[in-house]
Amino acid sequence: MIRVLTSACIVCAASELCKVFSVIELVPSAGGELLYPYIPLNHLPLHFCSIQLLIIFYTRFTKDEARREQLYAFLCPTSVLGGLMALFMPSIFSTTIPVEKAFTAPVSYQFFLYHTMMVALGLIILNSDEVKWNRKHMFSTVGIVLVMGFASLYVNSIMASPTYRDGKLISVDFWTNFFFTTMNPLGIRLTEKWQWCVYFFLIGFLASGLIIAFYEILIFRRQKKKN
């Protein structure tokens, strides 16, 4: 698995370099005298799949074998499920480039190759003997995903541009949508707070359900092998 993780780290580094140098822009200063390099906020490595990059590197270089097993148990379901969802619902075409540039923009190849690598890594972990699948890992993974999703509310709000009039908030423009907690990927209009609350808890419920189902299949398979 160490060789697999090393290869994954190389893909991660190449992927991030490709993304940064594909999307970085030279933007004039307020006075127009200087040009500054700027990466649009939606490309910050705070999407769930981007955060996996840091976890992959940590898993590769940690010396703690027990911690590595925990990280394998986290990476496997989240890489497979997250990578497949990204491949089937590529947000890149709604946030970065138009569909007609899918075969000419380097960032589109980066997006698909990176998420394909994630799926492959998860499947390799699944078919290895590195993890003793149990419900402790399952609840740990669900908890981490839910905490990350809740934290994205803070991050998306920090990155937003609110407009105030007479001390009252009258509008806001969001530049990020980490974990899809700001805007839903289907473009459904949410006009009431209770509708957004339903949506927020629904995506948490669906994410938890998918992870639990994934783990239960692996736990059942492990118990069957024992018998």
Side-chain angles (χ1 to χ4, degrees), residues 11 15 87 107-118:
V11 173
S15 171
L87 290 172
V107 72
S108 65
Y109 291 96
Q110 173 269 328
F111 179 90
F112 285 100
L113 288 174
Y114 175 73
H115 289 93
T116 299
M117 180 277 294
M118 283 185 57

Side-chain angles (χ1 to χ4, degrees), residues 53-65:
L53 182 151
L54 301 176
I55 297 173
I56 290 170
F57 269 89
Y58 184 79
T59 305
R60 167 60 182 82
F61 292 103
T62 184
K63 302 298 183 182
D64 188 330
E65 293 299 326

Side-chain angles (χ1 to χ4, degrees), residues 40-223:
L41 294 175
N42 60 301
H43 292 292
L44 294 177
L46 295 174
H47 289 287
F48 186 72
C49 290
S50 299
I51 294 173
Q52 298 283 66
L53 182 151
L54 301 176
I55 297 173
I56 290 170
F57 269 89
Y58 184 79
T59 305
R60 167 60 182 82
F61 292 103
T62 184
K63 302 298 183 182
D64 188 330
E65 293 299 326
R67 179 63 54 83
R68 180 177 284 129
E69 180 184 344
Q70 292 175 338
L71 292 170
Y72 281 144
F74 176 82
L75 279 171
C76 179
T78 54
S79 293
V80 172
L81 296 173
L84 286 175
M85 289 180 67
L87 290 172
F88 284 109
M89 295 189 299
S91 59
I92 187 173
F93 297 126
S94 61
T95 60
T96 307
I97 59 173
V99 177
E100 54 267 23
K101 292 187 177 180
F103 294 102
T104 57
V107 72
S108 65
Y109 291 96
Q110 173 269 328
F111 179 90
F112 285 100
L113 288 174
Y114 175 73
H115 289 93
T116 299
M117 180 277 294
M118 283 185 57
V119 175
L121 176 61
L123 292 175
I124 291 171
I125 295 173
L126 188 152
N127 288 292
S128 71
D129 296 321
E130 299 290 336
V131 183
K132 297 178 179 64
W133 301 102
N134 56 56
R135 291 183 177 85
K136 180 181 177 181
H137 291 319
M138 179 179 74
F139 290 122
S140 174
T141 298
V142 170
I144 292 171
V145 171
L146 292 179
V147 168
M148 285 183 176
F150 186 78
S152 72
L153 297 175
Y154 295 97
V155 177
N156 287 325
S157 294
I158 291 170
M159 301 297 179
S161 296
T163 300
Y164 289 86
R165 184 178 297 162
D166 298 326
K168 293 183 178 180
L169 180 64
I170 60 172
S171 66
V172 63
D173 289 316
F174 278 94
W175 309 112
T176 62
N177 189 25
F178 301 128
F179 286 71
F180 297 108
T181 52
T182 299
M183 295 164 280
N184 66 82
L186 302 177
I188 300 172
R189 283 175 55 83
L190 304 176
T191 57
E192 300 289 341
K193 184 177 179 179
W194 70 266
Q195 294 175 338
W196 175 85
C197 288
V198 170
Y199 164 72
F200 180 74
F201 285 105
L202 180 61
I203 58 176
F205 177 78
L206 289 175
S208 300
L210 286 171
I211 292 170
I212 290 171
F214 193 98
Y215 269 100
E216 288 295 343
I217 292 171
L218 295 180
I219 292 169
F220 175 78
R221 190 178 73 167
R222 180 171 180 246
Q223 290 175 342

